[in-house]
Each structure stands twice: as C-alpha cells, then as structure tokens.
Amino acid sequence: MSNDPYADLGNASQEMQDRLVEAMIARAEDPKQIEMRRDYMARLSLPEGARGVELGSGPGDVTRDIVEVAGAAEALGIEPSPIMVEAAKARHADLKTLTFEVGDAKQTGLDDESMDLVVLHTLLIHCPGPEEVLAEAFRILRPGGCLTVFDEDPPSVTAAVGDHDPFRPVVDNLIRAYVHDRWLVRRTPALLAASGFEIQHRDGFLYLPATDSPYFLTIIDRGADTLVDDGVIGTALAAGIRDEARRRVSAQSFFGSIAFVSIIATKPG
Ligand SMILES: C[S@@+](CC[C@H](N)C(=O)[O-])C[C@H]1O[C@@H](n2cnc3c(N)ncnc32)[C@H](O)[C@@H]1O
C-alpha cells in the first residue's frame, strides 16, 4: 500500500481526514481552481437526462459542476473517506440531483454502461493501480460516453522565490509524502489509450493563485509537518516555516504555482 494518505483515506486517522477535508475545500473554493475545472466541464456535450459520476469526489464541488456546468440531470460522487462523504453531503444539501456514497473507484458497484460521464479530478496520481480505475470507468460508461481526467503535474509544484529557498525541500517532501505517482500525468495519454479510450481534447493550465491563497498555505504547512514526521526537523522550525509563509503573504511576496493537465476522452461506439 502507498504511503500517500489520499490512497487509503477511509482508513487514515480522523485528524488526517479532517485536515484533508479542510485542504480540499480550500482548493475547491479557490477561484483559479474553479476556472480550470469549469474550462473542461464546459466543453462537454452531454445528452438530455445524462447521468454523471465523480470517482474520488472529496468535498463534492467537482461533482456539483457535473450538474451545474456540464448540464447532467444527476450526479453521483463516490469516495472512500466517510468524513469526506459527510462533508460533501453537508456542503451540497441544497442540490437534490446530487448523491454522495462511500465506495471505491475500482469497484463502484454501478451497472455496465450506466453512465454518460465519468470524472476523475485529481484522483489518479493518488491511486496505486490507476489501470484498474480506468477499466472500471470504461465498464460503467455507455458507448460514446465521456471520461475526464484532471491532475496536477507534481514535479511542477513550486513555492521557491530564490536559490536555496527553504520552501523548496518543504514542497518536495510534501509531494513525496502525499503523491503516490509523481510522473503519472506524463503517462496518462498512453494509459487511456491502453484502456480503450480515445482522447478528444487535452489542455494544460498554470495554476498561479493570488499571493494570499489559503490552499497554497496548506501545501507549506503540510510539507513542514511531513519533515517533522520524518524526524528531519523539529516542531519549532516547522512553526518558523509556517510563520515565514504568512510573512510572505503579508508582504505580498508569497509565490506558488502548479501545472495542471485536463483530458477529455470517449469510450468508442
Ligand atoms: C486530491 S483528492 C480530490 C477530491 C476531489 N476530486 C476534488 O478535486 O475536490 C483525491 C480523493 O480521491 C479519493 N480516493 C483515493 N483513492 C480512491 C479510490 N480507490 N476510490 C475512490 N476514491 C479514492 C481520496 O479519498 C480523496 O478524497
């Protein structure tokens, strides 16, 4: 099993699940993140009465976009962390066409060819055995149905503003600890083809949030804590790293950026 806490979040500590709910909500509410995910959602052209599913739905904002942006009649979010599922239900209780369930992307229990759209939004880089997720997506999609994959390219994540900036090892260690396969995005087109999908559209985005991005602060904070967990630094230095991030925010000198890739593919037929 991977050390990536996202890979088995349902069995992670309550503290870890709570922390990642908070980080994923901060990311879901980030205006630049909303822009990137709505870009690919808006390109989809779904049939009337379409049903969509997000595998690895986290706090559910992307599942919500399946209805509100892609125009599906209903959407289901499947997610192994019960705490994430409860957070998603609470966040989206106002939209009755959304359902959230605890489950596994590799074995959804959904019928063959029952979905018009399957969304994998920052799931695959965290998943040991991404081929199994793609095989399940292929099975549940109707012929002609759409698959979307959106992931960050982990080697591109940076918060450094100069040579020897201590944020560099902080970010590197976060990726080591929180990403199962840091090179996956670069192999995704080949994986999709091997799973029987046809790629229709591919795009790249540079996520360059505002200098006071709450989501990027969670990256620095969690990265500092991974160095403490590894016994590399003590808690006083981790607190100093967190303070430095906030100092840069106050001075408007905080910088962070990540490259993301979106792919729209179809099941032939
Ligand atoms: C980085 S989060 C993204 C959440 C959501 N897609 C979003 O962008 O807001 C990855 C999510 O995938 C879930 N996940 C990991 N392995 C999974 C699996 N085998 N089946 C379903 N979900 C999984 C994790 O629990 C986590 O909530």
Side-chain angles (χ1 to χ4, degrees):
M1 182 43 78
S2 166
N3 289 329
D4 176 349
Y6 285 114
D8 192 17
L9 195 54
N11 290 313
S13 66
Q14 164 105 26
E15 188 194 355
M16 177 60 84
Q17 294 190 52
D18 286 343
R19 191 166 203 195
L20 292 186
V21 167
E22 199 184 308
M24 286 302 94
I25 289 176
R27 195 180 72 174
E29 292 179 345
D30 181 304
K32 294 280 176 198
Q33 290 282 335
I34 294 172
E35 214 176 285
M36 292 189 294
R37 65 177 200 253
R38 294 196 171 167
D39 178 274
Y40 74 80
M41 285 279 182
R43 290 175 190 276
L44 302 172
S45 134
L46 299 177
E48 190 127 337
R51 297 177 72 200
V53 61
E54 184 189 6
L55 306 181
S57 46
D61 295 50
V62 182
T63 318
R64 186 178 185 116
D65 285 347
I66 293 176
V67 170
E68 291 191 338
V69 181
E74 55 185 279
L76 166 65
I78 294 184
E79 160 63 49
S81 157
I83 296 176
M84 279 285 191
V85 169
E86 285 317 307
K89 284 181 178 170
R91 275 177 82 68
H92 308 291
D94 59 312
L95 193 58
K96 303 297 172 216
T97 48
L98 292 185
T99 317
F100 295 97
E101 285 175 7
V102 172
D104 184 354
K106 297 176 185 173
Q107 279 183 307
T108 60
L110 296 170
D111 289 339
D112 288 357
E113 302 185 358
S114 55
M115 288 289 150
D116 299 284
L117 170 65
V118 175
V119 171
L120 310 177
H121 193 94
T122 66
L123 169 67
L124 289 183
I125 61 169
H126 298 293
C127 251
E131 301 85 355
E132 293 168 62
V133 175
L134 294 178
E136 181 67 354
F138 196 87
R139 183 187 70 74
I140 63 179
L141 271 176
R142 67 166 172 79
C146 267
L147 172 76
T148 65
V149 179
F150 181 88
D151 264 312
E152 76 191 51
D153 187 35
S156 73
V157 183
T158 181
V161 294
D163 293 340
H164 312 299
D165 186 332
F167 282 6
R168 208 159 163 169
V170 169
V171 166
D172 284 353
N173 209 48
L174 175 90
I175 289 162
R176 185 202 55 71
Y178 278 83
V179 174
H180 174 71
D181 185 343
R182 59 193 280 140
W183 300 106
L184 184 100
V185 163
R186 304 179 189 200
R187 298 199 321 276
T188 305
L191 274 177
L192 289 172
S195 305
F197 289 101
E198 287 174 358
I199 294 177
Q200 307 296 344
H201 183 83
R202 191 156 78 111
D203 243 330
F205 303 85
L206 185 68
Y207 167 61
L208 191 62
T211 53
D212 60 350
S213 156
Y215 172 59
F216 234 106
L217 285 178
T218 78
I219 291 181
I220 301 301
D221 293 353
R222 286 181 290 147
D225 289 345
T226 61
L227 287 166
V228 175
D229 294 344
D230 291 350
V232 175
I233 64 172
T235 52
L237 181 50
I241 290 169
R242 283 195 289 274
D243 286 350
E244 169 61 11
R246 281 140 187 93
R247 185 198 66 78
R248 291 186 192 185
V249 167
S250 309
Q252 299 194 344
S253 66
F254 186 92
F255 177 89
S257 75
I258 310 177
F260 282 84
V261 172
S262 74
I263 299 179
I264 299 174
T266 47
K267 174 172 171 172

